[in-house]
Amino acid sequence: MLATRRYLALFFPFLPAERWLRTAPKRPDAPLVFAEKQRGAMRLASVDAAALAVGLRPGMPLADARAQVGDLTIVSHDPVLDQDWLDRLAQGCARYTPLVALDAPDGLILDIAGAEHLLGGEAGVITDIEMRFARLGMTLRHALGPTADAARALARYQARPAPDEASAIRRLPVVALELDAEATTALVRAGLKTIGDLASRPMANLAARFGVDAAMALRRILGDAPSPLDPRIAPPPVVAERRFAEPLGSTAHATKILTELAAEAIEDLAERGKGGRHFRATFFRSDGLARTIAIETGNPTRDAGLVMRLFAERMDGLADPLDPGFGFDMIRLAVPRLETLGASQLKLEGGAVKDAAIDELADRLATRLGRGRVRRFRPADTHIPEQAQLELPAIDAPAPLPWQEPDPGEPPTRPFHLFDPPQPIEVIAEVPDGPPHQFRWRRQAHAIRRYEGPERIAAEWWRRRDNGGLTRDYYRVEDAQGRRFWLFRHGLYDEKPDPRWYIHGVFA
């Protein structure tokens, strides 16, 4: 057996119906079915317990269902709302373990290894889960297993009790492998009706006769092959949380607890020499649901005051305010994104303080207006002038690179205003590959009195599919009226017979 972990599979057999009933004006008297168009015909996508009891099954044509049961409550199937509800259920289960995976469309799988001690063992976790989902009106089937596949198969296909998990797995029908109908029928016709029947046969013979997929599915259920869990959210490196014996009914009190958790998280970050860029607060309600509020910062920070100010901005701007319901019984603050942050030395003239204030303003505006609405220019590692800066969201940009600054007393080598794309001009030069002598731009002639250059910039051939591109020869020129321009010839004469000239910018 490869598996050493413990997995808890949750199966909600009537998830669409019980999700729909939460917002329905009243409970229908007739059996409830959800219909959708499949292969050109209306079929049942899901049913409730009452419909299942009278013989209606998913996949049945709607016309047949109407013929069988005259009085039906028919609702359009909405898989998007079902997925959203399942995601909310998964969010609530994060109180037990950060490793929660969606088993769409109607199940969850939790890796509870190391987490069961919080509630007095596996039985305590299961009892707590049953209680919370009962409050939500959800029908639940669950099972523990040594692998995720085994737990899932037990939750969905176990029909009778067994003395232990190993026996229960061996009693599962072969349909628990979830192979296609043809492969399942072939197994049954061969007299192999249970997982135990298959496990008693040589694996090589099963693979040769029924396919590799059948053998691999069997190995995953038995724990002979890994069945890794794909958690909905990766476990964060820094977590601070608080559980309460009596749920908190006040959002203000919850915010005060969040402030204490922020201080704990900042202390952890300081010990690691890191700063946080992304903070995620989750408020777990006693009814089993949870609400997550996240903030981001443009630079790594260990400022608890800044973190709480951003959380306050986000909470004030929520269209759906934080509702404690029957109270919060747990609050968690996670820091999923860390970056190195060493000690900083402030400049005597206060430069560092000024930069920090600008960063804080950008974080507050981005938190209030949206992460994509506050943008910042960042230098890019390229010699192509129009590509040397990028406009990125202020809180989503990578660590800033220093801008190139001219030497003291030297004029800037790049113009204040850059045309993108460059504008074509007509140029007269004394020699074909020499500096410009006169140029015409926007129907106006400019006689050049002074020039500097050329500054040669080669094409980035490594980024082009044709491995080519034209060289640019740039000139800083000044005309007779003292106006300064940035011109370039696009191409050398051995690259192109008649290279064109462009104006790329104007100096202030």
Side-chain angles (χ1 to χ4, degrees):
M1 298 285 284
L2 296 176
T4 57
R5 309 193 68 83
R6 295 292 290 167
Y7 296 90
L8 175 62
L10 309 179
F11 171 43
F12 310 102
F14 308 115
L15 185 141
E18 289 162 349
R19 187 268 303 164
W20 183 83
L21 288 172
R22 289 180 55 82
T23 55
K26 69 174 186 177
R27 194 177 189 88
D29 299 327
L32 175 62
V33 299
F34 293 80
E36 68 176 357
K37 196 170 187 178
Q38 299 177 0
R39 300 189 297 275
M42 294 300 293
R43 294 178 179 272
L44 303 189
S46 180
V47 300
D48 71 347
L52 188 66
V54 296
L56 304 185
R57 298 286 187 276
M60 177 183 289
L62 179 59
D64 293 353
R66 280 175 167 158
Q68 184 172 335
V69 181
D71 187 15
L72 282 178
T73 300
I74 304 171
V75 179
S76 296
H77 181 50
D78 193 334
V80 175
L81 290 180
D82 292 342
Q83 174 73 23
D84 182 66
W85 178 237
L86 183 64
D87 195 66
R88 292 190 63 188
L89 298 180
Q91 193 175 5
C93 287
R95 72 177 62 243
Y96 306 106
T97 171
L99 298 175
V100 180
L102 298 179
D103 184 19
D106 51 11
L108 302 172
I109 299 179
L110 285 62
D111 182 348
I112 62 170
E116 66 275 12
H117 68 281
L118 297 175
L119 296 167
E122 293 178 348
V125 172
I126 292 174
T127 301
D128 195 76
I129 287 177
E130 289 177 329
M131 177 190 66
R132 295 183 188 280
F133 282 110
R135 288 180 186 170
L136 293 173
M138 299 295 296
T139 303
L140 173 67
R141 292 183 60 180
H142 57 76
L144 285 162
T147 69
D149 283 47
R152 182 181 189 279
L154 288 171
R156 293 170 182 267
Y157 298 101
Q158 186 178 10
R160 55 195 176 104
D164 51 55
E165 279 183 8
S167 300
I169 292 172
R170 297 178 73 86
R171 289 182 182 181
L172 288 172
V174 292
V175 71
L177 297 177
E178 297 190 341
L179 305 175
D180 56 54
E182 183 179 354
T184 302
T185 303
L187 288 170
V188 174
R189 286 178 176 172
L192 303 173
K193 299 181 180 179
T194 66
I195 298 297
D197 294 338
L198 289 174
S200 62
R201 303 296 195 278
M203 197 66 69
N205 292 349
L206 291 177
R209 184 172 179 183
F210 301 104
V212 176
D213 291 343
M216 183 55 67
L218 177 63
R219 294 185 65 202
R220 285 199 298 266
I221 285 184
L222 296 176
D224 294 334
S227 57
L229 198 67
D230 183 15
R232 172 176 161 273
I233 299 176
V238 174
V239 176
E241 63 183 29
R242 195 72 51 81
R243 296 171 184 268
F244 314 106
E246 293 294 332
L248 304 180
S250 165
T251 302
H253 194 181
T255 305
K256 182 181 178 183
I257 299 298
L258 183 62
T259 304
E260 297 175 3
L261 295 178
E264 294 178 15
I266 294 299
E267 186 176 347
D268 192 349
L269 290 172
E271 293 177 355
R272 297 167 181 252
K274 303 285 187 179
R277 289 282 306 272
H278 186 184
F279 296 82
R280 191 169 60 224
T282 304
F283 300 85
F284 295 90
R285 298 191 340 186
S286 58
D287 60 2
L289 298 180
R291 179 76 178 272
T292 297
I293 298 174
I295 61 166
E296 294 176 280
T297 59
N299 291 307
T301 184
R302 289 199 296 264
D303 186 345
L306 170 63
V307 171
M308 288 309 301
R309 284 195 294 275
L310 296 180
F311 270 122
E313 294 273 0
R314 178 55 55 87
M315 291 181 184
D316 290 342
L318 289 176
D320 181 16
L322 190 63
D323 179 15
F326 296 101
F328 301 117
D329 59 2
M330 178 176 166
I331 299 176
R332 174 184 294 157
L333 177 64
V335 191
R337 183 180 174 186
L338 311 184
E339 289 183 6
T340 300
L341 178 62
S344 60
Q345 177 65 51
L346 299 180
K347 295 180 180 179
L348 292 177
E349 62 272 26
V353 175
K354 182 179 179 182
D355 293 342
I358 293 176
D359 291 340
E360 181 178 345
L361 176 62
D363 292 342
R364 293 185 63 184
L365 291 176
T367 301
R368 180 180 300 179
L369 304 176
R371 67 197 313 272
R373 295 186 177 181
V374 181
R375 308 178 77 82
R376 175 179 293 179
F377 286 107
R378 300 280 186 178
D381 185 17
T382 177
H383 294 292
I384 304 302
E386 66 271 24
Q387 300 174 5
Q389 59 186 10
L390 299 174
E391 182 185 344
L392 301 174
I395 61 174
D396 199 29
L401 298 173
W403 291 98
Q404 291 184 357
E405 297 182 2
D407 295 331
E410 291 294 323
T413 59
R414 297 291 182 267
F416 178 76
H417 182 82
L418 201 68
F419 297 117
D420 186 18
Q423 299 181 9
I425 56 175
E426 299 172 6
V427 170
I428 298 176
E430 293 181 350
V431 293
D433 57 350
H437 179 69
Q438 181 177 331
F439 72 94
R440 177 176 292 276
W441 177 48
R442 293 179 179 175
R443 300 180 181 178
Q444 183 177 356
H446 298 266
I448 297 175
R449 293 289 180 260
R450 299 183 180 88
Y451 74 91
E452 289 179 320
E455 176 188 358
R456 181 159 294 178
I457 298 178
E460 295 182 335
W461 51 268
W462 59 92
R463 296 182 178 175
R464 296 172 61 98
R465 293 185 176 180
D466 58 0
N467 294 329
L470 299 177
T471 303
R472 300 180 184 185
D473 275 350
Y474 277 90
Y475 291 88
R476 295 194 296 272
V477 303
E478 180 178 313
D479 68 1
Q481 286 73 37
R483 293 171 295 194
R484 305 184 70 213
F485 306 92
W486 204 34
L487 315 180
F488 73 92
R489 184 179 57 240
H490 198 206
L492 305 178
Y493 277 90
D494 56 355
E495 295 175 339
K496 187 178 182 182
D498 185 19
R500 297 203 59 181
W501 283 84
Y502 294 87
I503 179 171
H504 206 164
V506 292
F507 292 88

